[in-house]
Amino acid sequence: MPILSLSCANCSAPLEIDGDTERFTCAYCGSAQILERKGGTVSLKKVESAINAVQRGTDRTAAELAIPRLTREREEVLGERAAALKAHAESQARARSGRFKLTAIIFVAVFFIGGMINGSITTKPAIQTVISLAWVASLFVLPIFVFRKVKLPPNDPKRVASEYDARLSRIDAHLRANREILDKLPH
């Protein structure tokens, strides 16, 4: 093949290239180049631009594959978040119910035990009155004391949801980035 006289695609230096050569490096600037032949014309193209074209295609393919996966992952996290919030609400309801039941049991126990003690003691009327008053007071004081002492677990649905919200935020950021790649790069 004949020797071709061309200019470097990077620094425009004059080059003489053997026609059989496909790939070479410029002796002046050191940039790697490819010899392109199209329809009877010969031109030089920097290897870097060919690599960039391949990279753009790879980026587009990766974004096209990532969007459905990220969308599924987002739906899964939303489902997990809803389940965690439901479990938290159920836990709160069970705790409130348990506290109410314990208070009711204390009230019933004081009512019957105090009633039996009050009815079985036959003493002077003044002592009977004091015992009756103590019994009536304990009907209210003991259940209220128990109700206030039994603590409920913290009711903080925002804390429960915060971990899931952080994961959703990261997924949404990845979705936006991949959609930007698809919008920016040609097909």
Side-chain angles (χ1 to χ4, degrees):
M1 274 235 137
I3 293 183
L4 304 171
S5 293
L6 299 169
S7 296
C8 174
N10 188 48
C11 69
S12 301
L15 302 171
E16 290 190 0
I17 304 157
D18 182 11
D20 292 335
T21 304
E22 291 292 321
R23 193 175 181 167
F24 67 95
T25 303
C26 175
Y28 296 96
C29 68
S31 70
Q33 299 179 46
I34 298 172
L35 195 63
E36 284 189 337
R37 294 177 179 88
K38 290 183 186 173
T41 61
V42 178
S43 63
L44 296 177
K45 184 176 182 181
K46 292 193 314 186
V47 172
E48 181 181 308
S49 58
I51 290 172
N52 287 340
V54 170
Q55 181 65 45
R56 283 191 301 274
T58 304
D59 289 348
R60 180 167 188 80
T61 302
E64 288 170 344
L65 294 173
I67 288 175
R69 177 187 56 80
L70 289 167
T71 303
R72 279 191 310 275
E73 193 175 315
R74 186 178 195 287
E75 294 303 317
E76 289 170 5
V77 171
L78 283 172
E80 291 171 11
R81 181 183 188 271
L85 287 173
K86 182 180 177 186
H88 177 74
E90 290 170 352
S91 171
Q92 287 293 313
R94 281 192 308 276
R96 282 191 299 274
S97 173
R99 181 169 74 170
F100 178 76
K101 287 176 184 175
L102 182 60
T103 303
I105 289 170
I106 296 295
F107 178 82
V108 170
V110 169
F111 180 79
F112 284 113
I113 293 170
M116 289 190 301
I117 292 172
N118 197 17
S120 67
I121 298 176
T122 54
T123 61
K124 297 179 183 176
I127 295 175
Q128 187 69 31
T129 303
V130 170
I131 291 173
S132 294
L133 287 174
W135 173 60
V136 169
S138 65
L139 273 174
F140 295 103
V141 171
L142 286 175
I144 290 171
F145 176 78
V146 168
F147 186 82
R148 295 187 77 161
K149 284 296 181 181
V150 174
K151 299 292 182 195
L152 295 175
N155 186 11
D156 192 5
K158 288 182 182 176
R159 182 189 56 79
V160 172
S162 66
E163 171 196 343
Y164 299 101
D165 291 342
R167 286 173 55 195
L168 285 170
S169 200
R170 286 191 299 272
I171 291 170
D172 287 342
H174 287 289
L175 275 169
R176 275 192 305 279
N178 282 293
R179 287 185 180 125
E180 285 176 12
I181 289 170
L182 289 180
D183 291 344
K184 183 173 57 172
L185 296 177
H187 295 294

